[in-house]
Amino acid sequence: MIYPFNGITPTIHDSVYLADYTTITGDVFIGANSSIWFQTVIRGDVAPTIIGERVNIQDLCMLHQSPNRPLRIEDNVTVGHAVTLHSCHIKKGALIGMGSIILDGAVIGEGAYIGAGSLVPPGKVIPPHTLAFGRPAVPIRNVTDEDRKDMNRIQQEYQDKAQLYKTMPSVR
């Protein structure tokens, strides 16, 4: 469902795949060829949410903000299942592992990999091309070529899967 909030309707590129039971409201922008998966909630009712191109936001995610603190997700980002993003900045090509929480003012560097179940506290900066993990998340090591291949594979699989889902009728 897409809801306007205070006279602002989400801006969603025509090429975006929106799975059933997603909820998007208010000041939200979603760029070309992105995909938003089942039961994800994206609220732009406090500050803007800006999602770039070729981003996949997987099932059961929650995206929200604090006043005057937009949520920004750059191009080619993967956000795993059941992730919470709150007024943070996720830079190009990063991967946020399943069940992670990224809080206000945190910055996830370009090509960084946040391990599943991690908590990135307010204001924490994860350097580019770094694997970070834990509660609180700390950098463990640099992202390897094998990590990068896996991150690219996941990103491409969600691009392809979104195109397939767009052609399939739902059965109710």
Side-chain angles (χ1 to χ4, degrees), residues 137-156:
V138 294
I140 305 291
R141 60 173 169 77
N142 290 332
V143 170
T144 65
D145 288 341
E146 187 174 318
D147 294 332
R148 201 168 287 106
K149 282 183 204 171
D150 199 37
M151 292 164 72
N152 291 336
R153 175 192 60 79
I154 294 166
Q155 209 272 334
Q156 188 61 53

Side-chain angles (χ1 to χ4, degrees), residues 3-169:
Y3 299 97
F5 183 80
N6 277 347
I8 301 172
T9 300
T11 301
I12 302 169
H13 192 275
D14 290 342
S15 63
V16 171
Y17 171 68
L18 297 177
D20 287 344
Y21 309 109
T22 58
T23 302
I24 303 170
T25 182
D27 194 357
V28 174
F29 173 88
I30 304 174
N33 299 307
S34 291
S35 56
I36 312 299
W37 293 87
F38 301 97
Q39 297 184 345
T40 289
V41 175
I42 304 172
R43 289 176 44 204
D45 54 3
V46 175
T49 292
I50 301 120
I51 298 171
E53 297 182 359
R54 296 171 305 282
V55 171
N56 65 86
I57 309 290
Q58 297 173 16
D59 313 65
L60 302 171
C61 289
M62 168 55 80
L63 283 61
H64 199 234
Q65 337 69 32
S66 292
N68 302 312
R69 289 182 162 245
L71 168 59
R72 294 183 310 244
I73 303 171
E74 295 184 7
D75 299 342
N76 300 315
V77 167
T78 292
V79 178
H81 307 293
V83 165
T84 298
L85 301 178
H86 206 274
S87 288
C88 55
H89 185 171
I90 314 296
K91 294 201 174 179
K92 183 177 180 180
L95 184 146
I96 311 301
M98 293 183 284
S100 294
I101 300 170
I102 318 294
L103 295 175
D104 292 28
V107 178
I108 308 303
E110 183 173 334
Y113 191 138
I114 305 300
S118 293
L119 170 65
V120 180
K124 176 83 174 181
V125 176
I126 303 298
H129 309 290
T130 300
L131 170 66
F133 185 76
R135 287 185 170 256
V138 294
I140 305 291
R141 60 173 169 77
N142 290 332
V143 170
T144 65
D145 288 341
E146 187 174 318
D147 294 332
R148 201 168 287 106
K149 282 183 204 171
D150 199 37
M151 292 164 72
N152 291 336
R153 175 192 60 79
I154 294 166
Q155 209 272 334
Q156 188 61 53
E157 282 180 5
Y158 271 88
Q159 288 292 303
D160 296 344
K161 197 175 297 186
Q163 294 308 309
L164 180 61
Y165 267 86
K166 281 174 133 180
T167 67
M168 296 176 8

